């Protein structure tokens, strides 16, 4: 029964994300001037989508392997970031597949494109804040962790009563044993996100036609949204798990320290925020704005 | 905006250099304006980054721009940009008249053709402005009507 509840909760959250994605897709519409060589842009849109789907398939396969890698919870913790990295690689492949400007006469405006022109205003700062929370939380849990009974360092939370008479260790606790793989995978995801965003911003324009430029801008913004959402999922999902596990350990140790219970409730707040963010990022990934010529 | 003709006998870096120099001399690119990064402009033109870098370097040597690591390439102050602009326009007018004369046309014919083209361009600009304002007014009236197909607009599909 206890194992069914998290699964049911996950299904509900995914359904909420799908509903949110449908609402987002209905409300997001990009107006572009009529004319131009839009069929070319449609073809590159298809190429990008297929690359992303291929990345998603690779990510699902890799996350399945990650799940089976470790029976102590590290596999489950890394499954979502590995899936996100697959999606980021697919997005990068799609961006690299966009053809360079060609033809005898090529035009360019003297605009300066910056990442902040395309990154989503809410999702990107949220991902940065979640990353900061994850790093701080894992640093604190690593600093307070102890070795378990088999000598694996950074796996349990050992505490003593104020008078030193009672000593108790509980786990799992997200100490260094869990923190280093997660931080390593998050570093890879961050670098990959930065690389894809750089490519999204710096790749060539399809020309000077206003319609083509408008569609191109919309495509760049959508790619930046996918990158942010994939990275956000990489951080938010494991952060939810880490916060819940740490809160559980603190609740079990609440008899030994008065601050343990409030700390556990604070961690549950972090878990709630991270889970809500994960739903938001999943909805961002699933939504697709429409282009309409006027 | 700049254009490069890769089939022209003039090398692409020289085309970029001359067009940017012209825009700077005329004051279209004012003092302190930042030029696009080398890699971005190269990607937009489908050229190698070295080609654009060479154009920027020559502009720097000629005193048009200054490049600083991390600060980008910025336009430097130029003497009398208005006079340079008038000179350039006169130069283009002279070239146009020479071309018309080569085809056996008179100055009157050249001026008439020019005003005809100017009128047509003005009409296009006006009709575009009207279309944009109509779209804005129609959106304001319809609210979320953007989800429904309507006359004059076509749906292109999702991104």
């Amino acid at each position: 029964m206890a194992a069914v509840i998290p699964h049911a909760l996950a299904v509900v959250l995914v359904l909420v994300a799908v509903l949110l994605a449908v609402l987002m897709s209905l409300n997001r519409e990009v107006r572009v001037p009529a004319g131009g060589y839009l069929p070319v842009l449609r073809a590159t849109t298809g190429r990008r989508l297929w690359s992303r789907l291929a990345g998603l398939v690779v990510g699902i396969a890799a996350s399945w392997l990650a799940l089976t890698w470790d029976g102590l919870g590290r596999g489950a913790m890394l499954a979502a970031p590995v899936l996100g990295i697959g999606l980021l690689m697919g997005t990068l492949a799609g961006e690299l597949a966009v053809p360079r400007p060609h033809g005898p006469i090529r035009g360019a405006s003297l605009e300066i494109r910056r990442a902040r022109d395309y990154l989503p205003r809410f999702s990107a700062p949220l991902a940065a804040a979640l990353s900061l929370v994850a790093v701080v939380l894992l640093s604190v849990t690593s600093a307070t962790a102890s070795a378990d009974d088999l000598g694996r360092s950074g796996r349990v939370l050992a505490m003593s009563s104020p008078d030193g008479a009672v000593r108790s260790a509980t786990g799992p606790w997200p100490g260094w044993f869990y923190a280093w793989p997660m931080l390593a995978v998050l570093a890879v995801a961050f670098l990959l996100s930065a690389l894809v965003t750089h490519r999204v911003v710096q790749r060539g324009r399809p020309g000077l036609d206003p319609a083509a430029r408008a569609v191109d801008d919309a495509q760049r913004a959508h790619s930046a949204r996918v990158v942010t959402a994939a990275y956000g999922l990489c951080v938010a999902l494991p952060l939810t798990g880490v916060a819940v596990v740490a809160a559980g350990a603190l609740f079990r140790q609440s008899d030994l320290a008065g601050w343990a219970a409030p700390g556990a409730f604070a961690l549950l707040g972090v878990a709630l925020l991270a889970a809500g963010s994960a739903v938001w990022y999943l909805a961002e990934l699933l939504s697709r704005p429409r282009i309409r010529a006027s | 905006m700049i254009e490069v003709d890769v089939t022209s006998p003039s090398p692409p870096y020289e085309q970029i250099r001359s067009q940017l120099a012209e825009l700077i001399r005329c004051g279209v690119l004012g003092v302190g304006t930042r030029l696009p990064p080398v890699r971005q402009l190269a990607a937009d033109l489908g050229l190698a980054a070295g080609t654009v870098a060479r154009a920027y370097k020559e502009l720097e040597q000629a005193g048009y721009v200054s490049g600083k690591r991390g600060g980008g390439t910025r336009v430097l102050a130029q003497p009398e940009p208005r006079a340079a602009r008038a000179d350039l326009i006169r130069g283009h007018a002279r070239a146009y008249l020479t071309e018309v004369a080569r085809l056996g046309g008179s100055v009157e014919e050249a001026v008439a053709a020019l005003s005809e083209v100017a009128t047509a361009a003005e009409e296009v600009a006006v009709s575009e402005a009207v279309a944009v304002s109509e779209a804005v007014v129609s959106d304001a009236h319809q609210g979320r009507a953007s989800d429904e197909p309507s006359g004059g607009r076509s749906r292109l599909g999702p991104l």
Side-chain angles (χ1 to χ4, degrees):
Chain A
M1 183 65 189
V4 174
I5 293 172
H7 288 107
L9 197 61
V11 169
V12 169
L13 291 179
V14 169
L15 286 176
V16 170
V18 170
L19 190 66
L20 203 57
V22 171
L23 290 173
M24 279 178 181
S25 301
L26 286 175
N27 282 313
R28 276 191 189 145
E29 189 178 77
V30 182
R31 293 283 177 85
V32 299
Y37 42 97
L38 294 171
V40 178
L41 288 166
R42 256 188 229 160
T44 59
T45 300
R47 214 175 292 171
R48 272 198 202 94
L49 181 64
W50 283 112
S51 296
R52 268 179 219 146
L53 288 175
L56 186 67
V57 170
V58 171
I60 288 171
S63 65
W64 181 256
L65 287 176
L67 265 176
T68 54
W69 163 61
D70 183 57
L72 295 171
R74 288 187 295 186
M77 182 182 71
L78 296 180
V82 167
L83 175 63
I85 286 173
L87 193 56
L88 285 170
M89 288 176 79
T91 309
L92 180 62
E95 291 300 322
L96 289 172
V98 175
R100 280 163 58 108
H102 55 278
I105 297 174
R106 303 161 192 182
S109 71
L110 296 175
E111 65 181 352
I112 296 173
R113 294 192 294 272
R114 294 159 303 185
R116 65 168 176 265
D117 298 333
Y118 298 105
L119 285 171
R121 280 159 202 254
F122 173 69
S123 301
L126 179 65
L130 288 174
S131 304
L132 188 66
V133 170
V135 169
V136 169
L137 179 60
L138 288 171
S139 302
V140 172
T141 53
S142 293
T144 53
S146 304
D148 65 4
D149 50 354
L150 293 175
R152 290 173 294 215
S153 63
R155 253 209 95 222
V156 296
L157 176 67
M159 291 173 79
S160 303
S161 60
D163 57 2
V166 182
R167 184 173 162 77
S168 163
T170 185
W173 173 255
W176 189 239
F177 184 79
Y178 295 96
W180 79 260
M182 182 165 159
L183 289 174
V185 171
L186 287 187
V188 171
F190 179 78
L191 291 176
L192 198 53
S193 304
L195 182 68
V196 187
T197 306
H198 183 261
R199 172 67 192 170
V200 166
V201 174
Q202 294 294 322
R203 71 172 163 75
R205 282 271 195 207
L208 292 167
D209 173 68
R213 287 172 67 85
V215 176
D216 181 56
D217 269 334
Q219 286 177 334
R220 283 176 207 263
H222 183 59
S223 292
R225 194 175 294 122
V226 168
V227 170
T228 312
Y231 176 72
L233 274 180
C234 285
V235 183
L237 278 174
L239 180 60
T240 308
V242 163
V244 168
V245 166
L250 279 182
F251 273 128
R252 287 194 294 277
Q253 299 286 50
S254 57
D255 292 341
L256 298 176
W259 56 265
F265 279 115
L267 284 172
L268 284 181
V270 170
L272 203 61
L273 174 77
S277 305
V279 170
W280 170 259
Y281 286 127
L282 187 59
E284 286 264 68
L285 269 182
L286 296 174
S287 70
R288 293 184 74 199
R290 292 162 304 155
I291 302 177
R292 194 190 289 269
S294 59
Chain B
M1 180 190 102
I2 56 172
E3 273 190 352
V4 169
D5 183 355
V6 291
T7 59
S8 161
S10 172
Y13 83 86
E14 175 52 29
Q15 294 179 47
I16 297 169
R17 189 207 64 77
S18 62
Q19 287 177 60
L20 286 175
E22 203 167 85
L23 291 173
I24 293 168
R25 270 204 310 275
C26 296
V28 176
L29 295 175
V31 185
T33 304
R34 204 176 149 194
L35 295 186
V38 168
R39 285 181 190 282
Q40 183 196 305
L41 187 56
D44 285 359
L45 292 169
L47 299 171
T51 306
V52 178
R54 185 171 176 187
Y56 277 23
K57 195 179 170 191
E58 297 210 352
L59 285 169
E60 197 176 344
Q61 284 168 352
Y64 287 111
V65 297
S66 75
K68 280 181 190 165
R69 194 167 279 277
T73 306
R74 289 184 186 275
V75 174
L76 294 173
Q78 299 299 314
E80 301 274 348
R82 278 176 190 277
R85 184 165 170 268
D87 279 349
L88 276 165
I89 291 171
R90 267 196 292 274
H92 284 302
R94 234 176 270 126
Y96 167 62
L97 281 178
T98 309
E99 227 13 62
V100 173
R102 195 174 63 80
L103 295 170
S106 65
V107 174
E108 288 74 24
E109 276 178 302
V111 171
L114 199 58
S115 34
E116 198 179 306
V117 170
T119 311
E122 211 167 275
E123 277 170 9
V124 168
V126 168
S127 62
E128 276 177 359
V130 168
V132 168
S133 61
E134 274 176 0
V136 170
V137 169
S138 141
D139 288 348
H141 282 303
Q142 291 178 13
R144 282 194 60 247
S146 56
D147 293 337
E148 296 149 23
S150 60
R153 289 192 198 133
S154 63
R155 194 179 283 185
L156 295 169
L159 276 174

